[in-house]
Amino acid sequence: AQKITQTQPGMFVQEKEAVTLDCTYDTSDQSYGLFWYKQPSSGEMIFLIYQGSYDEQNATEGRYSLNFQKARKSANLVISASQLGDSAMYFCAMREGRRGYSTLTFGKGTMLLVSP
Amino acid sequence: GAGVSQTPSNKVTEKGKYVELRCDPISGHTALYWYRQSLGQGPEFLIYFQGTGAADDSGLPNDRFFAVRPEGSVSTLKIQRTERGDSAVYLCASSVSGRGTYNEQFFGPGTRLTVL
């Protein structure tokens, strides 16, 4: 079974609109961390936002927020007021406590295209 | 400040050859990670170093892959008898420590390996 599932291969959004990128995860650990990374066409992985499994409030970082629903094991990324520069691949990732928090397990990603 | 650097940025080799990929982590980061990203996929974990030692090498696909970090800073990923299936982008990341759920990994730009 996949540990991180991103069901949207591609998403389209118009500039200035909000968009939600889906992520569900699978773990039996009580302690884990969830991450979102952005990968532009240049290839570098850019950290966007983090949510800990014990965090009671949803994480926010500027235009990025994480809609964390622990019971449903989902950690969707919400990008508000999309910009042309947001066009990129977006990856959801998890670090599990059982592995000593040492590694990230990534989903297959969602390609976001922002149109003018 | 300087980020994670990787050399070469591109490497083309022939099937059966030996290759070395180098990673220079951010100064002071004790944890170093190697990932492999195949076309259309998210990064997959290969190996994690804490200091000089490989703390987790469970992601290495077979014994043709080996990595070292002799002085606890620069790391080299070595691939023997390369196969066409080894073609991918090899990403290196580093973090201040390998512990804790929130432990931001900073990624390098990657080395694109092509095996002909």
Side-chain angles (χ1 to χ4, degrees):
Chain A
Q2 287 195 5
K3 289 206 176 256
I4 298 287
T5 302
Q6 295 181 254
T7 58
Q8 306 154 314
M11 288 286 285
F12 294 89
V13 67
Q14 276 202 313
E15 203 177 4
K16 300 180 185 176
E17 291 186 349
V19 63
T20 298
L21 306 184
D22 294 343
C23 172
T24 57
Y25 59 92
D26 180 27
T27 182
S28 56
D29 284 5
Q30 296 300 309
S31 178
Y32 51 90
L34 297 159
F35 300 75
W36 277 92
Y37 281 83
K38 173 184 178 182
Q39 188 176 44
S41 56
S42 52
E44 75 271 27
M45 297 286 284
I46 302 168
F47 167 74
L48 295 178
I49 196 166
Y50 164 82
Q51 180 84 42
S53 58
Y54 293 122
D55 294 342
E56 294 185 352
Q57 292 196 334
N58 287 342
T60 60
E61 288 286 348
R63 294 186 299 110
Y64 305 108
S65 60
L66 201 153
N67 183 0
F68 181 46
Q69 298 187 41
K70 195 170 181 177
R72 298 179 63 180
K73 293 190 175 178
S74 74
N76 298 339
L77 176 70
V78 180
I79 305 175
S80 62
S82 298
Q83 302 172 355
L84 295 178
D86 293 336
S87 293
M89 281 292 288
Y90 288 80
F91 292 97
C92 179
M94 176 172 62
R95 174 181 286 127
E96 296 174 280
R98 72 173 66 188
R99 300 194 66 177
Y101 312 107
S102 62
T103 65
L104 290 171
T105 302
F106 287 84
K108 292 187 175 182
T110 295
M111 171 66 78
L112 176 66
L113 291 176
V114 181
S115 60
Chain B
V4 178
S5 62
Q6 292 185 246
T7 54
S9 55
N10 279 285
K11 176 71 177 177
V12 180
T13 190
E14 293 180 344
K15 180 175 179 293
K17 298 289 189 183
Y18 168 83
V19 297
E20 290 189 351
L21 312 180
R22 176 187 168 106
C23 172
D24 272 280
I26 293 173
S27 177
H29 281 192
T30 63
L32 184 146
Y33 315 79
W34 283 98
Y35 294 85
R36 178 168 72 174
Q37 186 174 20
S38 301
L39 193 63
Q41 304 292 319
E44 293 178 303
F45 166 74
L46 294 177
I47 187 169
Y48 151 59
F49 287 90
Q50 183 60 47
T52 60
D56 184 349
D57 64 358
S58 62
L60 294 178
N62 51 60
D63 61 6
R64 296 187 297 106
F65 288 74
F66 188 70
V68 296
R69 196 186 184 200
E71 297 178 358
S73 55
V74 170
S75 175
T76 305
L77 178 65
K78 309 180 180 192
I79 310 174
Q80 298 178 320
R81 304 182 304 280
T82 52
E83 299 177 357
R84 292 193 180 88
D86 298 336
S87 297
V89 174
Y90 289 81
L91 294 167
C92 176
S94 70
S95 61
V96 171
S97 161
R99 301 185 181 91
T101 54
Y102 178 58
N103 197 345
E104 183 181 345
Q105 295 184 14
F106 296 84
F107 282 79
T111 293
R112 182 175 298 277
L113 175 67
T114 303
V115 182
L116 301 177

